[in-house]
Amino acid sequence: MATGGLKPDRGPALRLPQFVGGPGDPCAALAEAEVILVGLGSVGCAAAQHLARAGIGCLQLVDRGSTKQASLYTHPITAAEIGMPKAELARTLVIGINPAARVAAYQDAFQNLPIDELRGTVLLLAVDNLETELAVTEYCISRGIILIQASVHGGTMIAQLRILTGGKAGEGPCLACRYNQTEWQQVASEAQYSCDGSSLEPSQPVPTRSTSSLCSLAGELAVHKIIRHLLGLGRPLADELLEYRGYTDELVTTKLRRNRQCPVDHRRWHTVDGQGAATLAEVLRRCGADAAATVSVDGKKFLDKAACSSGHWTSVARFAALGDAAGTCPECQQPLQPSPFHSIDRVPVDAFGTRVDHPLTALGIDAGGALVVHCADGRTTRVTTPLPAPAVTGGCRT
Amino acid sequence: MSNMTLLGLASVQLCDAAQSALAKYTVDSRGVRVWRERKSAEMRDLLALEQLAPRLSVQQVDMKTDLRVVLGLLMPVPCRFGSGDLVVCEEAVVGINYAQQSMLRALPGTSFAQLLWPLGVFHPSVKSGPVQAVCLGITMPPGIRLIEIVLMLYRAVVLQEHNFDERDHAGVFNVEAARWWQKNTHRIPLTTETFFDPSRMAAADDHA
């Protein structure tokens, strides 16, 4: 077949076909694509390989774990790679296949990442941890990012994809829409904290029990969907569950619908450029918010009051992260301790009073920090200072 | 036969004063529909519990963003002032902050409750100092109800449920208190009374 506009010496162009009904230069389209891959285990690592071979231009790889002996039987690794961080392993794999790819690898839980550094139009999720699922589903639904979750059930030879497009105006389902009591109990069992509020080391996840071929199939089906979406091939992605049933060789598709009682906020966020905004008043003006709005900052709580060890209570009135100093007591100069009852996630704008005209930093809002404005009319606006796209990395971020 | 579980609170008819109070509290409630409805439901249950439990009084409510309540509780609270003897106060003022993320996330057991009064509480699960946060466990499951937090708080403070083991992987909040109570287990619990008399719920059911 003719290769059309493809340059035969350009990496994947050596093998990519001219797709019927597809763009003239699929290589260029895939090279411009940005995909986030969360979970680099049996399914995710296989997917990473295929995304690299397809020539995806920007990949962000996220996994906090390392390979183990058992990984040898489901991951595309050799014995020499046992014990390696999965994110680093996948990065090396991708760069080895496609040196031109821009790859950022994060050896950490998704929930701990600098979220605004991530960029992508599609996110492939391949984890077996519901807490991460929740964080990812909130991230995708709020930003209008297509989420494809790939998983397997080895005992019944089922490879499964959940495709969530977000729907129009945030009407689409999320992963939590299907959760029942069992799933919510599992979320609880996955999160454990010590008395100081810090997370305890999570219990070792149960390794996937499946054939490597089934894991690979799930990853490959997901990559196939991503490539089709990026090149506009065939039927557009829809909110659905796709199952390959290995015992009967059936491929079954089921529509997914939104659960109206789902506690996840399904509204899509707007984004406003916060660069140059010096005060909260300026930010609110850019967001079109009024006094009935509320504001929050990712990863921080608003400290209304704090107390020193001498028992003096002081108004703090700014945002602070867990563990950050709350300041010093004006009376005795002792450090102030934040008070959980006086620390709130969201603050009504009218509670700031004249402080809306104070510098943002005086309110504990850093430039580039994720300030979110929740308007009374239902709009949620994320105020960001744009960050540069990740370049090719020389290592793995931990 | 009445439902003696907390689910039975839904059948408790709120008195006129409680209904008016609920209406007043919800006027300024903000947030997405699911969260506003959840706050109203939690507040309704709390007011129903107040009707059934004479030891509970709802003193302040703020439903603007998080659901924040200040409660008066008639319950024994162990205190120690300086290096003096243990003193048991018979009432407390508690602040509970019920945030929107509690619907979705499993949060630390320290996220919710704080003893605002008395000061000087001497208890393994209560932080010493002016900020007396209460640790209710390693994890609080997503979707935990406000009334469950109130009941857990009661059982924890009066030492009907306790953890003294500082070697526990979650730790204890007040190590000195944990060690003291380990040597004084004969004083535990501070009361064997339940939070409320279940027969009051049966009576409420009969009236409904």
Side-chain angles (χ1 to χ4, degrees):
Chain A
M1 291 177 73
T3 56
L6 297 174
K7 295 191 176 125
D9 60 346
R10 239 175 78 191
L14 290 169
R15 299 305 294 265
L16 276 181
Q18 186 64 57
F19 292 101
V20 174
D25 188 354
C27 279
L30 294 174
E32 286 168 9
E34 296 172 320
V35 176
I36 305 166
L37 181 41
V38 179
L40 296 161
S42 319
V43 173
C45 204
Q49 277 192 110
H50 289 294
L51 288 169
R53 293 189 201 286
I56 299 293
C58 177
L59 277 171
Q60 288 141 96
L61 311 171
V62 181
D63 197 304
R64 68 179 168 194
S66 299
T67 55
K68 297 177 178 45
Q69 177 67 36
S71 307
L72 201 53
Y73 308 105
T74 51
H75 293 45
I77 64 169
T78 64
E81 288 151 336
I82 293 172
M84 272 186 76
K86 291 180 181 178
E88 173 58 29
L89 183 72
R91 192 196 72 85
T92 305
L93 201 65
V94 167
I95 295 291
I97 294 168
N98 183 7
R102 289 170 290 127
V103 184
Y106 301 89
Q107 188 191 341
D108 204 345
F110 179 84
Q111 300 86 302
N112 300 335
L113 296 186
I115 291 294
D116 287 326
E117 256 188 47
L118 298 177
R119 57 192 71 229
T121 54
V122 182
L123 188 149
L124 171 51
L125 176 66
V127 301
D128 52 11
N129 174 287
L130 290 185
E131 223 198 332
T132 305
E133 261 192 32
L134 269 178
V136 166
T137 208
E138 283 186 295
Y139 171 78
C140 289
I141 212 163
S142 64
R143 291 156 178 81
I145 295 173
I146 289 171
L147 169 57
I148 298 177
Q149 182 196 32
S151 59
V152 298
H153 187 265
T156 50
M157 282 194 156
I158 291 179
Q160 205 175 65
L161 296 187
R162 275 190 179 77
I163 300 127
L164 301 167
T165 65
K168 290 180 185 173
E171 282 302 305
C174 76
L175 290 177
C177 283
R178 67 176 172 90
Y179 284 9
N180 58 24
Q181 195 176 13
T182 306
E183 273 88 10
W184 289 115
Q185 283 173 352
Q186 189 177 335
V187 170
S189 68
E190 286 170 0
Q192 294 194 340
Y193 303 90
S194 65
C195 275
D196 63 6
S198 56
S199 295
L200 294 173
E201 194 57 40
S203 53
Q204 290 299 317
V206 176
T208 306
R209 298 191 78 90
S210 168
T211 59
S212 67
S213 54
L214 190 69
C215 295
S216 197
L217 177 62
E220 288 159 12
L221 281 172
V223 171
H224 171 74
K225 286 282 188 187
I226 291 171
I227 291 173
R228 262 188 45 204
H229 168 69
L230 293 173
L231 299 181
L233 302 175
R235 185 169 66 90
L237 292 186
D239 297 322
E240 59 191 19
L241 168 67
L242 174 72
E243 280 189 325
Y244 167 75
R245 298 177 179 174
Y247 277 17
T248 54
D249 289 324
E250 288 175 285
L251 200 62
V252 178
T253 304
T254 312
K255 279 199 176 128
L256 294 175
R257 299 197 193 285
R258 180 169 167 189
N259 174 1
R260 291 282 158 196
Q261 298 308 311
C262 178
V264 171
D265 185 353
H266 283 239
R267 292 175 300 177
R268 190 162 301 174
W269 291 1
H270 302 264
T271 303
V272 156
D273 183 359
Q275 201 146 32
T279 66
L280 184 58
E282 171 61 19
V283 168
L284 295 172
R285 190 191 63 75
R286 292 188 190 186
C287 296
D290 61 17
T294 59
V295 297
S296 60
V297 177
D298 275 356
K300 292 189 177 184
K301 283 187 179 278
F302 185 80
L303 306 185
D304 188 19
K305 290 184 196 175
C308 69
S309 54
S310 303
H312 304 130
W313 284 88
T314 302
S315 172
V316 177
R318 61 179 173 79
F319 287 94
L322 179 72
D324 278 1
T328 52
C329 175
E331 292 194 37
C332 64
Q333 309 309 313
Q334 297 280 337
L336 290 171
Q337 299 172 34
S339 162
F341 180 66
H342 299 100
S343 305
I344 51 180
D345 290 338
R346 289 192 193 181
V347 191
V349 165
D350 48 17
F352 285 96
T354 56
R355 281 173 287 136
V356 290
D357 294 314
H358 288 195
L360 285 171
T361 48
L363 300 177
I365 302 168
D366 304 320
L371 172 62
V372 184
V373 178
H374 311 267
C375 297
D377 60 6
R379 283 179 300 122
T380 302
T381 305
R382 191 172 184 81
V383 182
T384 59
T385 304
L387 295 169
V392 176
T393 58
C396 182
R397 302 177 198 197
T398 57
Chain B
M1 174 69 81
S2 66
N3 184 349
M4 295 299 181
T5 69
L6 292 180
L7 293 174
L9 283 175
S11 63
V12 172
Q13 184 82 13
L14 288 186
C15 64
D16 291 344
Q19 287 186 15
S20 300
L22 182 60
K24 187 183 74 170
Y25 297 147
T26 53
V27 159
D28 209 18
S29 178
R30 303 183 199 181
V32 292
R33 179 188 56 81
V34 168
W35 175 227
R36 293 198 313 273
E37 288 175 357
R38 182 59 181 263
K39 283 189 280 184
S40 295
E42 296 293 340
M43 232 11 258
R44 194 220 171 272
D45 281 350
L46 186 65
L47 291 169
L49 188 62
E50 184 186 30
Q51 272 182 209
L52 296 177
R55 68 171 77 248
L56 170 66
S57 65
V58 178
Q59 297 182 355
Q60 291 178 42
V61 176
D62 174 5
M63 285 174 69
K64 271 192 187 160
T65 54
D66 294 347
L67 171 53
R68 302 170 71 215
V69 295
V70 175
L71 309 176
L73 279 169
L74 296 175
M75 64 178 179
V77 183
C79 300
R80 201 169 78 165
F81 307 105
S83 54
D85 290 339
L86 192 78
V87 172
V88 178
C89 297
E90 291 300 329
E91 58 184 306
V93 176
V94 170
I96 298 180
N97 195 342
Y98 191 76
Q100 183 175 353
Q101 60 173 332
S102 59
M103 284 202 302
L104 209 51
R105 294 271 180 298
L107 295 177
T110 51
S111 303
F112 294 90
Q114 188 170 330
L115 282 166
L116 301 175
W117 187 89
L119 295 181
V121 175
F122 190 67
H123 190 292
S125 299
V126 179
K127 195 169 181 186
S128 60
V131 177
Q132 300 183 127
V134 183
C135 182
L136 297 175
I138 292 174
T139 306
M140 304 292 265
I144 188 165
R145 296 169 66 191
L146 178 58
I147 49 176
E148 288 176 304
I149 294 169
V150 172
L151 296 184
M152 289 173 74
L153 174 76
Y154 173 78
R155 290 196 294 267
V157 170
V158 305
L159 293 164
Q160 287 178 2
E161 291 175 5
H162 48 78
N163 174 35
F164 300 145
D165 189 356
E166 61 194 277
R167 295 164 302 173
D168 184 90
H169 69 308
V172 291
F173 237 163
N174 187 332
V175 174
E176 186 188 353
R179 290 175 182 167
W180 189 93
W181 282 102
Q182 280 179 26
K183 296 176 189 165
N184 290 276
T185 54
H186 60 279
R187 303 185 71 156
I188 294 169
L190 296 173
T191 179
T192 55
E193 289 180 9
T194 54
F195 190 82
F196 69 98
D197 180 358
S199 64
R200 291 177 70 101
M201 187 181 285
D205 268 359
D206 293 339
H207 283 301

